[in-house]
Each structure stands twice: as structure tokens, then as C-alpha cells.
Amino acid sequence: MRKSILLLCVCLLFSACATNQKSRLAATMAGVAVGAGIGAATAPEDERPELHALYWGGIIGVVSAIAANYYFNDERDIDMVKLENEKMKAQLDFFQNGTATLLKETKGAADRKYFQSGKAKIKLYKIDQWVDEGPNRKYHRDQMIEILPLEKGE
């Protein structure tokens, strides 16, 4: 019985991992350990407790692995990384494909839907970019506006 409690404590310690994959493995191992403990403890007197421990450990381990796959889902992390990747690609494209010259910098009113204070810093840049739009069409970009929220104290 002491070995089962020690094994359960070790499995619970492993379940405090940082990544989803490790969390799935730790949950599966904890399920196997708990199932083995239950199987060994509830085995009838005339049967071998090791076989019951393997049987119950396998069943509860599979159930905990399935539950861990649904609970530790990677979709949210993947979506966040994709958005960050698209943002970085756009910034890299901006810096690689055109130099921007600051023409004017002012402070003015901004949409409260995007800026809490209702005021923003507005920068007007002159750029020189040709952009492909399909196989037969190109257009030229010559100006860019950047609207930034005002920092505290501005």
C-alpha cells in the first residue's frame, strides 16, 4: 500500500508540468497509477492482485489519456502563434519593401472605440511601394498613416 501511495505522489508531482504534451503524459501516468492502486486493492482473495492492477491501470490510463487530450488542447496556442507570425511577416515586409520617410507628426482626436483617451499621435509617412494584385494588376502606395495611442504625460 505504501508503494502505491508513493507512486501516486510521484505521478501527481509529474502532473505539474509546463507544456501541454508533458501534461498529457503526466495525466496518463497518474491515471495508470491510480488504476493500478484501485485494481490491486480491490482484487479478490483467490486471484492475483498484479493482474487486477494491470487491468485497471490500463483502463483508467486510457480514459485519462483521452480526457487529457481534450482538456490540454493546443488550438488556442496555435491560433495565437499564427496571428503573431502574420503580424511579424507584415512588419518584415514593410521594412524590406519600402523605406518610410516621416513627413508629419501631430496629435489629434481619435475614435474612442480604439483609443480610450480619444486622442492619438498621428504620423504621416511617404513611402514608395508597388504592390501586386493578381497577375495583371499592380498599384502604387505613396503614403501611410500610423495612429498610435498617446502615452501618459503627453
Side-chain angles (χ1 to χ4, degrees):
M1 186 66 173
R2 288 184 182 172
K3 288 181 183 179
S4 298
I5 292 173
L6 180 65
L7 184 62
L8 178 62
C9 290
V10 169
C11 289
L12 290 174
L13 178 68
F14 285 147
S15 68
C17 299
T19 63
N20 283 343
Q21 184 64 27
K22 287 182 183 177
S23 297
R24 287 184 196 126
L25 290 174
T28 303
M29 289 188 331
V32 169
V34 168
I38 290 172
T42 60
E45 292 288 328
D46 58 338
E47 294 183 15
R48 294 175 53 189
E50 304 88 35
L51 294 177
H52 281 272
L54 288 174
Y55 176 72
W56 282 97
I59 290 173
I60 294 179
V62 167
V63 170
S64 65
I66 291 170
N69 270 340
Y70 285 109
Y71 182 74
F72 298 110
N73 194 353
D74 291 329
E75 290 299 319
R76 183 179 36 196
D77 295 335
I78 290 171
D79 290 340
M80 189 181 338
V81 169
K82 282 181 183 178
L83 286 173
E84 186 176 334
N85 190 18
E86 288 175 11
K87 179 182 174 184
M88 293 175 91
K89 280 182 183 180
Q91 288 176 344
L92 181 65
D93 183 48
F94 172 72
F95 289 120
Q96 283 181 340
N97 293 333
T99 57
T101 307
L102 181 63
L103 294 177
K104 188 177 181 182
E105 182 175 347
T106 62
K107 295 176 188 172
D111 191 354
R112 284 195 179 271
K113 184 165 79 174
Y114 302 109
F115 301 97
Q116 280 184 334
S117 66
K119 294 186 179 181
K121 185 188 303 182
I122 302 167
K123 295 181 180 181
L124 177 65
Y125 293 94
K126 177 179 175 34
I127 59 174
D128 185 23
Q129 286 182 336
W130 285 97
V131 180
D132 291 331
E133 187 181 277
N136 302 328
R137 188 180 298 178
K138 288 186 179 218
Y139 61 93
H140 184 261
R141 293 182 185 168
D142 64 341
Q143 288 185 345
M144 177 182 72
I145 295 178
E146 184 178 23
I147 303 172
L148 302 168
L150 285 177
E151 300 294 324
K152 288 186 178 178
E154 287 187 56

